[in-house]
Amino acid sequence: MAYDPRIELMTGDITELAVDAIVNAANSSLLGGGGVDGAIHRAAGPGLLAECRRLGGCKTGEAKLTAGHRLPARHVIHTVGPVWRGGGHNEEALLARCYRASLELAKAHGLRSVAFPAISTGAYGFPRQRACAIAVDETHRFLQTDETMERVIFVSFDAETDALYRRALGLD
Ligand code: ADP
């Protein structure tokens, strides 16, 4: 598939990005957790948790929008990735749905720049290479028919994940 120049890669802390929305790899309670979820809540301050409490949770593969509170990002899109249970429990389709739902929610709110962490690849144990390929494939699919999104950034927390994104994008 041809490389879409609206897709960017970055290595570092997603909480520092001044984009329209950063995506949170949340759990279904939306009441905070470890990993990127904990980092986002710490950086956003208590207003984010207060807003999340009013959302009534989120199902796996779905996404919900909040303000960014004290983050440089204007909004947070909370999506719940699948827990990896060996691959026979619809994990791949559910992960693809997280990317699709997040991008559609962003578009519905007129947001034009969205940054994703590698959803499900931390505590939820999804194999990293497969997860990066799904992220890239689903985003390409979305961008093929979208004319409003300007930037989709895949943020890696480590060099290994960045290399997997590069491979999935055909950059290496
Ligand atoms: P999950 O429960 O969906 O697996 P985790 O937060 O445990 O979510 O991990 C998801 C990914 O986010 C992992 O690849 C992890 O290295 C990465 N990560 C953790 N903290 C940050 C951060 N501050 N910025 C960007 N990525 C992060």
Side-chain angles (χ1 to χ4, degrees):
M1 205 182 313
Y3 173 62
D4 190 310
R6 291 174 287 177
I7 294 179
E8 298 172 35
L9 300 182
M10 230 177 248
T11 304
D13 183 352
I14 199 168
T15 67
E16 294 175 0
L17 297 187
V19 287
D20 288 345
I22 62 170
V23 177
N24 182 14
N27 59 51
S28 57
S29 75
L30 297 184
L31 299 181
V36 73
D37 195 2
I40 288 172
H41 277 275
R42 274 193 301 280
L48 180 60
L49 183 58
E51 190 180 356
C52 283
R53 280 190 204 287
R54 297 195 290 270
L55 296 178
C58 182
K59 292 190 185 127
T60 304
E62 297 184 359
K64 294 196 175 176
L65 185 81
T66 66
H69 297 270
R70 293 180 193 155
L71 290 165
R74 287 170 50 214
H75 300 275
V76 180
I77 293 171
H78 306 263
T79 190
V80 181
V83 176
W84 181 259
R85 292 194 286 150
H89 294 83
N90 211 27
E91 293 97 325
E92 299 204 343
L94 288 167
L95 184 62
R97 259 200 251 162
C98 287
Y99 286 91
R100 163 70 51 175
S102 297
L103 290 165
E104 281 176 353
L105 188 59
K107 186 185 174 93
H109 286 84
L111 310 184
R112 292 168 183 269
S113 55
V114 178
F116 284 96
I119 298 163
S120 283
T121 67
Y124 281 6
F126 204 107
R128 245 165 231 267
Q129 183 170 347
R130 194 67 204 116
C132 292
I134 289 168
V136 164
D137 284 353
E138 198 58 34
T139 300
H140 265 138
R141 199 163 293 132
F142 173 85
L143 290 174
Q144 267 171 12
T145 56
D146 169 81
E147 288 169 359
T148 60
M149 197 59 65
E150 292 171 358
R151 301 172 73 197
V152 178
I153 307 163
F154 294 121
V155 182
S156 300
F157 211 43
D158 55 82
E160 184 205 332
T161 304
D162 186 67
L164 294 173
Y165 278 126
R166 291 186 63 82
R167 197 194 300 175
L169 286 164
L171 293 174
D172 283 334

